[in-house]
């Protein structure tokens, strides 16, 4: 068998693992397809289940608590949708992360790392592999305005803390329910600010288990993109160091952004943030196109286009993953018919035997 590479980012980390399995060719980005954001998952070795079953997985293994078949993905997603995963591990430091990746590698398990689950849709059938929850949440002050932060630290929490301290650059983060690792990986941004503006360095774990520190000057970011998305030897983003400037208006600006978000987005409802990326070079947002197409309030089962912001789809009741996927497909079709614009998904769809997910690109 040829050696495949597995890479993924869901709300918290990018990861890569070399596994001796065969990967499927990725499908084109289409409604109800099986490719949305970047990830290459190894094909499952169908013989591994019996082997692992005999281990005491609900107890500690090399310092990790590995839970089998009990964790529901709906509890790990802001959409509140998703079935069980075969294996579930929480990691609280970099060494535990490496141990978790090694466990998946040695047992030929598909795996994915998630943070807040704020940008993904899990299938109702769950995930046939291991879900690793990133809880690397340390915060270290290096010097005035410079902080080294664990990749699992809440991005909104960091933005609020820095603004209160009178530091500018992360005011926009106050309302983004992701993690520091996810923000760096996707170069999250809003209100004219983006993560790359204040990144000083990024610490990663390579596929060979080595830790590396990459300086901002050597990293090329773009709109909702970063070099980590194509980094072949990347195993995980472990920490990010931010360099901010002092500003007396930081807290006021952050509160203004938060108020704007509360009045223009369905903050209290179950959503995954923006479903589609804004079209480039059109001067109009995806939300405006959906609104102009008259699709606010449109429902498929328990899935609904928000009446507050048309690019937010909410779980208004007992939405299934199929409800949400069909709503995404319907909105794409209606916008294309009316305006000739092909919207591109910003959310991640994870299905049981997921092998490849692709961010911000067509294949």
């Amino acid at each position: 068998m040829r050696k495949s590479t597995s890479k993924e980012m869901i709300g918290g980390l990018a990861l890569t693992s070399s596994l001796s399995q065969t990967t499927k060719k990725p499908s084109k980005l289409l409604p109800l397809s099986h490719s949305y954001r970047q990830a290459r998952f190894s094909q499952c070795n169908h013989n591994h289940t019996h082997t692992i079953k005999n281990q005491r997985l609900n107890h500690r293994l090399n310092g990790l608590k590995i839970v089998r078949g009990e964790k529901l993905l709906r509890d790990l997603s802001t959409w509140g949708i998703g079935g069980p995963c075969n294996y579930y591990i929480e990691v609280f430091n970099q060494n535990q992360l490496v141990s978790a990746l090694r466990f998946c590698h040695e047992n030929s398990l598909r795996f994915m790392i998630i943070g807040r689950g704020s940008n993904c849709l899990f299938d109702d059938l769950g995930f046939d592999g291991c879900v690793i929850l990133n809880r690397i949440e340390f915060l270290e002050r290096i010097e005035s305005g410079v902080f080294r932060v664990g990749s699992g630290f809440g991005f909104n929490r960091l933005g609020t803390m820095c603004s209160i301290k009178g530091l500018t650059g992360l005011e926009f983060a106050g309302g983004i329910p992701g993690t520091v690792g996810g923000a760096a990986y996707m170069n999250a941004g809003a209100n004219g600010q983006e993560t790359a503006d204040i990144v000083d360095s990024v610490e990663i774990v390579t596929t060979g288990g080595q830790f590396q520190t990459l300086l901002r000057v050597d990293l090329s970011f773009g709109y909702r993109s970063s070099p980590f998305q194509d980094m072949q030897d990347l195993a995980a983003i472990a920490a990010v160091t931010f360099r901010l400037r002092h500003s007396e208006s930081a807290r006021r600006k952050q509160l203004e952004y938060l108020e704007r978000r509360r009045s223009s987005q369905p903050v209290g409802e179950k959503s995954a943030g923006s479903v589609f990326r804004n079209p480039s070079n059109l001067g109009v947002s995806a939300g405006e196109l959906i609104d102009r197409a008259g699709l606010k309030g449109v429902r498929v089962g328990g899935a609904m286009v928000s009446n507050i912001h048309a690019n937010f789809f909410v779980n208004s009741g007992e939405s299934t993953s199929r409800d949400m996927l069909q709503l995404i497909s319907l909105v794409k079709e209606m916008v294309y018919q009316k305006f000739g614009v092909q919207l591109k998904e910003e959310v991640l769809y994870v299905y049981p035997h997921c092998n490849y997910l692709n961010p911000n690109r067509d294949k």
Side-chain angles (χ1 to χ4, degrees), residues 266-304:
V267 174
E269 301 184 73
K270 294 179 180 179
S271 77
S274 297
V275 173
F276 299 104
R277 287 183 291 147
N278 290 327
S280 59
N281 304 319
L282 289 184
V284 61
S285 69
E288 289 176 283
L289 291 173
I290 299 168
D291 190 4
R292 292 180 190 178
L295 295 173
K296 275 187 174 180
V298 168
R299 291 174 177 263
V300 174
M304 182 183 77

Side-chain angles (χ1 to χ4, degrees), residues 3 5-7 13-19 94-95 97-102 105 111 113 202-214 228 231-239:
K3 196 176 218 182
T5 301
S6 170
K7 180 179 285 186
L13 292 180
L15 69 84
T16 304
S17 177
S18 297
L19 298 172
Q94 297 175 9
N95 290 333
L97 172 61
V98 172
S99 294
L101 295 177
R102 184 180 299 116
H105 172 75
F111 58 90
I113 297 179
V202 180
E203 297 168 41
I204 66 169
V205 182
T206 69
T207 54
Q210 302 297 314
F211 289 94
Q212 294 182 1
T213 299
L214 307 175
F228 308 110
M231 199 172 290
Q232 295 302 309
D233 64 343
L234 179 71
I237 293 176

Side-chain angles (χ1 to χ4, degrees), residues 70-88 112 114 117 120-128 130-131 350-351:
E70 298 177 4
K71 192 65 177 181
L72 295 176
L73 298 178
R74 67 173 62 99
D75 298 331
L76 303 175
S77 167
T78 58
W79 242 332
I81 298 172
C85 55
N86 282 4
Y87 305 95
Y88 173 73
M112 60 184 178
I114 67 172
C120 53
L121 173 62
F122 293 114
D123 195 277
D124 297 309
L125 295 178
F127 178 65
D128 183 21
C130 182
V131 172
V350 182
Y351 64 101

Side-chain angles (χ1 to χ4, degrees), residues 143-277:
E143 59 183 77
S144 180
V146 181
F147 299 91
R148 177 173 175 262
V149 191
S151 55
F153 198 94
F155 198 50
N156 52 0
R157 180 184 172 195
L158 179 65
T160 299
M161 291 175 60
C162 289
S163 299
I164 290 175
K165 292 179 180 294
L167 298 170
T168 186
L170 279 171
E171 292 93 335
F172 76 97
I176 297 180
T179 59
V180 163
Y185 188 93
M186 289 308 302
N187 190 20
N191 304 114
Q193 297 178 323
E194 62 181 15
T195 307
D197 294 338
I198 37 80
V199 167
D200 188 69
S201 64
V202 180
E203 297 168 41
I204 66 169
V205 182
T206 69
T207 54
Q210 302 297 314
F211 289 94
Q212 294 182 1
T213 299
L214 307 175
L215 301 179
R216 174 65 180 88
V217 68
D218 299 319
L219 299 172
S220 178
F221 290 86
Y223 173 68
R224 302 299 178 267
S225 68
S226 76
F228 308 110
Q229 296 170 6
D230 297 313
M231 199 172 290
Q232 295 302 309
D233 64 343
L234 179 71
I237 293 176
V240 181
T241 297
F242 298 97
R243 184 176 294 274
L244 300 98
R245 304 184 312 276
H246 288 273
S247 171
E248 294 182 359
S249 64
R251 179 58 171 167
R252 175 181 55 78
K253 186 185 297 185
Q254 188 252 340
L255 291 173
E256 289 175 357
Y257 291 166
L258 273 179
E259 182 57 34
R260 187 184 307 170
R261 182 179 290 268
R262 292 191 185 104
S263 62
S264 63
Q265 298 177 8
V267 174
E269 301 184 73
K270 294 179 180 179
S271 77
S274 297
V275 173
F276 299 104
R277 287 183 291 147

